[in-house]
């Protein structure tokens, strides 16, 4: 892996903790990706408002089994084939759903399912996702029958109950922030440069949807985002709180809904803890992307909290190296 070796200096090298001048953007927002249903396909949008939970509509819905446990691509790779669609205006800052507004869901061999956005629902108790358990809105019989038919076993669709439920982020990395049905943190950032560098090493290139970031940036060196401690996008302050260690989801082929071995097999040669975090444990974890929180999300609601494609990204503080970044 000669090419992999050539990346090591940038992977382990110094951001030195120096701030980038405010007038010199480190990158540009190339794509914004929202995943309304956890583990299903995302939607690319031109802009997204920032809420107290993350981007508006991100991981608002969850597919659960008969026991109320979350279903994800880790066990159900066919979830990668489930497409979702929201009204385009849903990503305007002040938009509110009308009685006719729907989340539209499609999958191979299935008729489209329309889930109303502004209908009162019953509550389903004992819903669980990782360490969290609580109540959620049940999206009803039609949705349950649709997902049960698709997966071939009893399944329901639920929506996060923002009014009463709280899922805090891991306080060891970020205190005072909350999430809906995301895994751990409200935002995930990755760069096109990182993806391009990875694809140079793969026999078959992969797309960014393997890694499911919310913010894809372009114009920076590969894996620069490892070192981003404080950044500004459209006057919003984001903190890089934890390198994203990857589970088996990146090995799911998003066009076939099947497991493989790549890109994890190749990433182990140059993106493992052993390589980029040699003084830490978890040597066999692989890392791609940086988890973020947004400082403004915890304060009272304000106007203008929105990220747009094309926004410059200003890096104000960096970690000295990947080895010293939290993970």
């Amino acid at each position: 892996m000669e090419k992999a070796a050539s990346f090591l200096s940038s992977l382990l090298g110094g951001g030195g903790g120096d701030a980038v001048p405010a007038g010199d953007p480190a990158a540009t927002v190339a794509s914004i990706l929202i995943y309304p249903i956890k583990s299903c396909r995302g939607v690319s949008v031109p802009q997204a408002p920032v809420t107290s939970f993350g981007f508006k509509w991100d991981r608002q819905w969850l597919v659960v089994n008969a026991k109320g446990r979350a279903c994800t691509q880790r066990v159900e790779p066919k979830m990668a084939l489930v497409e979702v669609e929201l009204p385009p205006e849903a990503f305007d800052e002040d938009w509110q759903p009308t009685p006719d507004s729907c989340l539209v869901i499609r999958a191979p061999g299935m008729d489209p399912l329309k889930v109303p956005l502004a209908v009162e629902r019953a509550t389903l108790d004992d819903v669980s996702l990782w360490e969290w358990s609580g109540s959620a809105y049940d999206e009803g019989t039609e949705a349950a029958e649709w997902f049960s038919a698709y997966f071939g076993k009893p399944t329901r669709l639920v929506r996060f109950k923002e009014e009463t439920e709280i899922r805090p982020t891991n306080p060891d990395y970020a205190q005072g922030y909350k999430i809906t049905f995301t895994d751990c943190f409200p935002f995930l950032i990755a760069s096109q440069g990182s993806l391009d560098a990875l694809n140079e090493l793969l026999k078959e290139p992969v797309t960014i949807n393997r890694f499911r970031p919310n913010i894809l940036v372009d114009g920076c060196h590969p894996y620069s985002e490892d070192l981003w401690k404080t950044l500004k996008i459209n006057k919003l302050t984001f903190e890089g709180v934890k390198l994203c260690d990857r589970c088996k989801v990146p090995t799911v082929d998003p066009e076939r809904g099947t497991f493989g071995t790549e890109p994890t097999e190749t990433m182990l040669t140059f993106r493992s803890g052993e390589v980029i975090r040699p003084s830490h444990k978890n040597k066999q974890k692989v890392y791609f992307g940086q988890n973020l929180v947004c400082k403004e999300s915890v304060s009272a609601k304000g106007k203008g909290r929105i990220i747009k494609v094309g926004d410059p990204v200003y890096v104000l503080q960096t970690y000295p190296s990947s080895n010293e970044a939290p993970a």
Side-chain angles (χ1 to χ4, degrees):
M1 280 295 185
E2 295 177 1
K3 289 182 181 178
S6 71
F7 292 133
L8 290 181
S9 60
S10 64
L11 299 176
L12 295 169
D18 296 330
V20 175
D24 184 15
T28 301
V29 176
S31 298
I32 298 170
L33 299 146
I34 309 296
Y35 308 87
I37 305 177
K38 183 177 180 63
S39 258
C40 296
R41 284 190 179 177
V43 292
S44 179
V45 296
Q47 64 179 35
V50 172
T51 76
S52 58
F53 293 90
F55 279 138
K56 189 176 182 180
W57 304 113
D58 192 45
R59 275 83 167 195
Q60 279 277 310
W61 287 270
L62 180 71
V63 179
V64 298
N65 64 18
K67 296 182 179 180
R69 291 287 299 170
C71 300
T72 75
Q73 287 185 34
R74 295 166 176 84
V75 177
E76 297 286 355
K78 283 176 59 178
M79 294 186 79
L81 305 180
V82 178
E83 299 180 7
V84 296
E85 178 185 342
L86 282 161
E89 60 273 18
F91 295 94
D92 294 341
E93 193 170 12
D94 296 322
W95 184 81
Q96 294 295 324
T98 69
D100 296 327
S101 303
C102 291
L103 173 73
V104 182
I105 306 171
R106 297 178 175 87
M110 304 291 295
D111 291 332
L113 170 68
K114 292 185 176 182
V115 177
L117 297 178
V119 173
E120 286 193 23
R121 295 294 194 190
T123 295
L124 183 66
D125 296 322
D126 299 321
V127 170
S128 57
L129 170 62
W130 311 135
E131 78 296 337
W132 175 86
S133 62
S135 299
Y137 290 118
D138 184 355
E139 290 292 7
T141 302
E142 185 180 359
E145 290 176 348
W146 192 95
F147 278 97
S148 297
Y150 182 64
F151 291 116
K153 52 190 171 185
T155 315
R156 302 195 76 83
L157 181 68
V158 300
R159 183 174 179 180
F160 194 80
K161 197 172 183 180
E162 294 182 8
E163 299 87 347
T164 60
E165 300 298 323
I166 294 178
R167 284 190 70 217
T169 54
N170 186 331
D172 292 340
Y173 295 94
Q175 291 190 355
Y177 295 92
K178 56 187 180 179
I179 51 178
T180 52
F181 291 131
T182 52
D183 270 357
C184 299
F185 299 95
F187 307 94
L188 177 65
I189 193 169
S191 73
Q192 185 65 42
S194 301
L195 181 67
D196 292 344
L198 170 61
N199 279 333
E200 285 188 23
L201 305 176
L202 296 174
K203 292 180 180 178
E204 295 185 16
V206 297
T207 55
I208 197 62
N209 54 355
R210 296 258 187 161
F211 298 100
R212 303 176 68 79
N214 296 112
I215 304 170
L216 178 68
V217 300
D218 200 3
C220 59
H221 292 296
Y223 310 108
S224 295
E225 63 271 29
D226 284 6
L227 310 182
W228 292 351
K229 184 177 182 180
T230 306
L231 51 150
K232 284 268 190 184
I233 308 175
N234 194 21
K235 300 180 181 179
L236 297 173
T237 305
F238 292 86
E239 296 284 340
V241 294
K242 187 178 185 292
L243 296 181
C244 187
D245 57 282
R246 310 310 306 214
C247 62
K248 65 193 294 186
V249 169
T251 67
V252 176
D253 184 331
E255 301 305 318
R256 298 183 178 88
T258 55
F259 287 119
T261 59
E262 293 288 13
T264 300
E265 192 172 278
T266 294
M267 291 174 68
L268 278 168
T269 66
F270 76 109
R271 289 296 297 172
S272 69
E274 186 172 13
V275 175
I276 71 169
R277 295 177 53 75
S279 66
H280 298 268
K281 298 178 181 179
N282 301 321
K283 302 293 189 184
Q284 294 306 302
K285 286 187 175 180
V286 297
Y287 298 89
F288 192 99
Q290 172 86 264
N291 290 296
L292 307 177
V293 295
C294 178
K295 283 191 171 183
E296 288 78 7
S297 69
V298 298
S299 58
K301 187 176 181 181
K303 297 288 290 181
R305 297 179 183 179
I306 196 162
I307 301 297
K308 299 180 180 180
V309 171
D311 280 345
V313 179
Y314 298 97
V315 177
L316 307 183
Q317 287 182 292
T318 59
Y319 293 104
S321 70
S322 300
N323 192 53
E324 296 171 74

